[in-house]
Amino acid sequence: MLRFRRGTQAEQRAVYETYLSATGRINNWDLVDCSAEHIVGDYLAGRSRAPLKKLARSRLIWERRIAMLATF
């Protein structure tokens, strides 16, 4: 999360993309609750919400939770 906050736009994008590419490895509430708002939510602020819609429709509970918490 610190890398995202202090990173350049390119670094923030890389952290965001890496985070979303690893959702298959997320397996508990704490991982989502501590990171989704700050990485996915912050990255998508002012951008398209389409990725949130895709996550919200996922069969994986963790991806659905990422979509929900990213809106905080």
Side-chain angles (χ1 to χ4, degrees):
M1 214 167 9
L2 189 57
R3 177 179 244 173
F4 180 86
R5 285 186 183 162
R6 293 187 179 172
T8 64
Q9 286 184 352
E11 291 169 332
Q12 288 179 344
R13 181 182 177 126
V15 170
Y16 165 79
E17 289 175 352
T18 300
Y19 183 87
L20 289 184
S21 71
T23 59
R25 293 184 200 91
I26 293 174
N27 60 3
N28 67 59
W29 301 103
D30 291 338
L31 291 174
V32 174
D33 293 2
C34 293
S35 60
E37 171 186 359
H38 303 289
I39 295 174
V40 178
D42 286 351
Y43 183 78
L44 292 177
R47 291 183 171 91
S48 171
R49 302 290 194 251
L52 294 179
K53 291 177 184 179
K54 181 179 176 186
L55 289 166
R57 292 184 188 115
S58 173
R59 63 177 183 80
L60 299 175
I61 189 171
W62 309 115
E63 288 186 352
R64 294 192 308 267
R65 187 161 181 89
I66 289 169
M68 180 181 72
L69 291 177
T71 65
F72 286 0

